[in-house]
Amino acid sequence: MILVNGASSQFIDARDRGLAYGDGVFRTFPMQSGRPVAWSRQYKKLDTDCAAMQIACPGEAVLKQDLAAVASHEPDCVIKIIVTRGIAERGYAIPVAAIPTRIVLSTPAPDYPASYFEAGIRVHLCRLRLSSQPASTGIKHLNRLENVLARMEWNDPDIAEGLLCDADDYLIGGTMSNVFVAKDGKLTTPALDRCGIAGVTRERIMELSRDRGIAVRIGKITIDELLAADEIFLTNSVIGIWQIAAIDRRTWARGSLTTKIRSWLQNAQDH
Amino acid sequence: MILVNGASSQFIDARDRGLAYGDGVFRTFPMQSGRPVAWSRQYKKLDTDCAAMQIACPGEAVLKQDLAAVASHEPDCVIKIIVTRGIAERGYAIPVAAIPTRIVLSTPAPDYPASYFEAGIRVHLCRLRLSSQPASTGIKHLNRLENVLARMEWNDPDIAEGLLCDADDYLIGGTMSNVFVAKDGKLTTPALDRCGIAGVTRERIMELSRDRGIAVRIGKITIDELLAADEIFLTNSVIGIWQIAAIDRRTWARGSLTTKIRSWLQNAQDH
């Protein structure tokens, strides 16, 4: 199902600045039994990202109405919300009277192999290095060509995700996920002040872990530190938590900390 | 007028990867008396950019047909061609069966003040620094948020363009133009191997100048070198050549070299 500005439609205007320049933001999260998972956090991020780009964020009530319309058809699906700056003629200057375009798309809940959750996944270490743009870092905007180009590096269907570093070879995250590295019972997740996107699930896991006495450091992670980790796991709102079972020839057994944190996340009450 | 895959339509599919990720490329150039200016060069760049992104470029004959359809309605206009990877469900992985979307849009020829061509223009020195992404540098792709964010830095209608530097403070170009700096009768234009887009008009001006005995160096330009220049001019396919008359308090009189190169460009036979 697709809603464009609240109306059922498959189409957007070809002059939309979302297409022309990637001038917009988005969120992706599951709908489960008609309820958008961690909605308050998702909306807050959408609002923050819109503000950072000086786009008027659609009201929460309006979006909840859209989500209810989708839920009545597809109570279990993945939702993607896109908000663009709207339609305009040519030129980078922001039109004074721009009216944001609001798009809500649903896709079927993905059917990942059970092994991804049990044994874990194989990942590819990407050659592409993420660029640093302080003016838009952290914003989940529509300029996602780096992710596309990184994802083009492998075709092997047994590789579920790729890991990305910045230009200084520090680990940043997956092409579609955040990353946590566990060593001696403590977690580290990369600082995302120069590139990367700080996801809602990353935030939830940091809170859940700290609340239960697990130290979480935000900082730099080298590839050597990554490979020396006791456990590594990837997170996003759709996959939840996937442990990494293999990077090239280095392998990891199923880890108790990752399993524990997954159960905390599954039982979290912040839906 | 808008043609989507050759058919007159104002709309594209909301699932197009051009919108979702900026997964596509574009060209912008004038149509004059029904003829697309420097078409062979424009098509060659489009083809090269598509190839770099592994997008199947529409055939030249197909695009010429689209342009002829526009020309019959609007012989004098600005053309924008967008080619995206096409429609797909969620996910960064490139769909095996992706069919590129081809969009041809026309807008009225811009009505710039005569002073832009005569006295020259005022420009803003942007605070934003362009990021470096070797994997996509030079490609005129749809990830243009840096240009949008840079253009947001000024509202003064008397400022016609902004100049951008890379993270090391070397001049790269304007938000929508390439730049040439003249000193002692020689031209320098920034190297664009780390960021920026090498435009068709930049290429034409380098050729026209060298053919007439003007040395053109491609290299690094500092802000000090910029401000010490005898003449500076900006180029793109739509504006042609605009001389810079002022950057903050530093001003320049109309320059003879810029005037000469503009006349070469206007009389060039590579339409």
Side-chain angles (χ1 to χ4, degrees), chain A residues 10 12-14 129 133 146, chain B residues 10 13-15 133 146:
Chain A
Q10 203 180 319
I12 65 149
D13 195 294
R129 291 292 177 264
Q133 179 46 273
E146 287 189 328
Chain B
Q10 204 180 318
D13 196 293
R15 296 166 303 169
Q133 179 45 274
E146 287 189 330

Side-chain angles (χ1 to χ4, degrees), chain B residues 20-32:
Chain B
Y21 309 130
D23 192 7
V25 299
F26 72 108
R27 307 288 333 151
T28 307
F29 53 87
M31 171 106 78
Q32 287 172 356

Side-chain angles (χ1 to χ4, degrees), chain B residues 230-267:
Chain B
D230 297 329
E231 302 174 33
I232 314 161
F233 59 87
L234 303 177
T235 71
N236 79 26
S237 298
V238 177
I239 65 174
I241 293 177
W242 284 348
Q243 195 186 333
I244 292 181
I247 304 176
D248 296 328
R249 288 184 197 170
R250 171 77 167 93
T251 58
W252 286 264
R254 193 168 181 181
S256 59
L257 185 58
T258 304
T259 306
K260 199 153 61 177
I261 295 173
R262 182 186 289 119
S263 76
W264 295 341
L265 184 68
Q266 282 165 343
N267 296 319

Side-chain angles (χ1 to χ4, degrees), chain A:
Chain A
M1 187 174 193
I2 308 176
L3 299 173
V4 178
N5 296 325
S8 179
S9 167
Q10 203 180 319
F11 300 102
I12 65 149
D13 195 294
R15 297 166 303 169
D16 199 287
R17 286 174 61 105
L19 172 69
Y21 308 130
D23 193 6
V25 300
F26 72 107
R27 308 286 335 150
T28 307
F29 52 87
M31 171 106 79
Q32 287 171 357
S33 306
R35 281 173 57 184
V37 173
W39 168 248
S40 300
R41 292 177 192 263
Q42 293 290 352
Y43 183 74
K44 198 176 149 208
K45 286 265 185 190
L46 183 73
D47 194 42
T48 306
D49 284 358
C50 281
M53 286 181 47
Q54 297 180 30
I55 293 173
C57 188
E60 189 173 355
V62 170
L63 281 168
K64 281 179 106 168
Q65 222 166 8
D66 289 352
L67 293 173
V70 174
S72 69
H73 287 84
E74 290 167 277
D76 294 278
C77 62
V78 172
I79 296 286
K80 183 166 180 174
I81 299 177
I82 299 176
V83 178
T84 80
R85 201 176 303 275
I87 299 163
E89 294 292 320
R90 224 168 36 75
Y92 291 121
I94 290 171
V96 181
I99 299 165
T101 305
R102 165 180 114 247
I103 307 164
V104 176
L105 303 103
S106 67
T107 46
D111 189 22
Y112 293 118
S115 66
Y116 285 13
F117 302 93
E118 292 157 10
I121 60 163
R122 297 191 73 85
V123 302
H124 164 70
L125 212 46
C126 294
R127 290 180 297 278
L128 180 138
R129 291 292 177 264
L130 293 168
S131 65
S132 167
Q133 179 46 273
S136 60
T137 294
I139 301 175
K140 196 159 178 161
H141 54 63
L142 297 172
N143 277 207
R144 298 266 73 97
L145 208 47
E146 287 189 328
N147 308 59
V148 172
L149 293 171
R151 185 61 188 79
M152 283 168 76
E153 289 188 18
W154 80 95
N155 285 313
D156 183 346
D158 289 337
I159 293 175
E161 173 63 311
L163 289 178
L164 286 158
C165 294
D166 65 16
D168 298 326
D169 292 342
Y170 289 109
L171 179 68
I172 298 297
T175 67
M176 58 164 189
S177 56
N178 288 123
V179 63
F180 285 82
V181 166
K183 183 79 181 172
D184 302 328
K186 292 173 188 168
L187 292 174
T188 307
T189 191
L192 303 175
D193 49 348
R194 297 180 61 229
C195 45
I197 305 173
V200 159
T201 305
R202 172 178 180 268
E203 179 186 281
R204 293 173 77 198
I205 286 169
M206 286 198 289
E207 288 180 20
L208 289 165
S209 300
R210 285 171 175 161
D211 285 353
R212 284 153 185 81
I214 309 281
V216 186
R217 189 178 70 92
I218 296 176
K220 290 184 174 177
I221 301 172
T222 65
I223 295 297
D224 284 347
E225 286 166 338
L226 172 77
L227 296 175
D230 297 330
E231 302 174 31
I232 314 160
F233 59 87
L234 302 177
T235 71
N236 78 26
S237 298
V238 177
I239 66 174
I241 293 177
W242 284 347
Q243 195 186 333
I244 291 180
I247 304 176
D248 296 328
R249 289 184 196 168
R250 172 77 167 93
T251 58
W252 286 264
R254 194 170 180 179
S256 59
L257 185 57
T258 305
T259 306
K260 200 153 61 178
I261 294 173
R262 182 185 291 120
S263 76
W264 295 340
L265 185 68
Q266 281 164 346
N267 296 320
Q269 294 304 312
D270 60 346
H271 276 203

Side-chain angles (χ1 to χ4, degrees), chain B residues 12-269:
Chain B
I12 65 150
D13 196 293
R15 296 166 303 169
D16 199 287
R17 287 174 61 105
L19 172 69
Y21 309 130
D23 192 7
V25 299
F26 72 108
R27 307 288 333 151
T28 307
F29 53 87
M31 171 106 78
Q32 287 172 356
S33 306
R35 281 173 58 183
V37 173
W39 167 250
S40 300
R41 291 177 192 261
Q42 293 291 353
Y43 183 75
K44 197 177 149 206
K45 285 263 185 191
L46 183 74
D47 194 41
T48 305
D49 284 358
C50 281
M53 287 182 45
Q54 298 180 32
I55 293 174
C57 188
E60 189 173 356
V62 170
L63 281 167
K64 280 180 107 170
Q65 222 166 6
D66 289 352
L67 294 173
V70 174
S72 68
H73 286 84
E74 291 167 277
D76 293 278
C77 61
V78 172
I79 295 287
K80 183 166 180 175
I81 298 177
I82 299 175
V83 179
T84 80
R85 201 176 304 274
I87 299 163
E89 293 292 320
R90 222 168 36 76
Y92 291 121
I94 290 172
V96 181
I99 299 165
T101 305
R102 164 179 116 246
I103 307 165
V104 177
L105 303 102
S106 67
T107 46
D111 190 21
Y112 293 118
S115 65
Y116 285 13
F117 301 93
E118 292 156 11
I121 60 163
R122 296 191 73 85
V123 302
H124 164 72
L125 213 46
C126 293
R127 291 179 297 278
L128 180 137
R129 291 293 178 263
L130 292 168
S131 66
S132 167
Q133 179 45 274
S136 60
T137 294
I139 301 174
K140 197 160 179 162
H141 54 63
L142 297 172
N143 277 207
R144 298 266 72 97
L145 208 46
E146 287 189 330
N147 308 59
V148 172
L149 294 171
R151 186 60 188 79
M152 284 167 75
E153 289 187 18
W154 80 95
N155 284 313
D156 183 346
D158 289 337
I159 292 174
E161 173 63 311
L163 288 179
L164 286 158
C165 294
D166 65 15
D168 298 326
D169 293 340
Y170 289 109
L171 179 68
I172 298 297
T175 67
M176 59 164 188
S177 56
N178 289 122
V179 63
F180 286 82
V181 166
K183 184 77 181 173
D184 302 328
K186 291 173 188 167
L187 293 174
T188 306
T189 191
L192 304 176
D193 48 348
R194 297 180 60 230
C195 45
I197 304 173
V200 158
T201 306
R202 172 178 180 269
E203 178 184 281
R204 294 174 76 199
I205 287 169
M206 286 197 289
E207 289 180 19
L208 288 165
S209 299
R210 286 172 174 160
D211 286 352
R212 284 153 184 81
I214 309 280
V216 187
R217 189 179 70 92
I218 296 176
K220 290 184 175 177
I221 301 172
T222 65
I223 296 296
D224 285 347
E225 286 166 338
L226 173 76
L227 296 175
D230 297 329
E231 302 174 33
I232 314 161
F233 59 87
L234 303 177
T235 71
N236 79 26
S237 298
V238 177
I239 65 174
I241 293 177
W242 284 348
Q243 195 186 333
I244 292 181
I247 304 176
D248 296 328
R249 288 184 197 170
R250 171 77 167 93
T251 58
W252 286 264
R254 193 168 181 181
S256 59
L257 185 58
T258 304
T259 306
K260 199 153 61 177
I261 295 173
R262 182 186 289 119
S263 76
W264 295 341
L265 184 68
Q266 282 165 343
N267 296 319
Q269 295 303 311

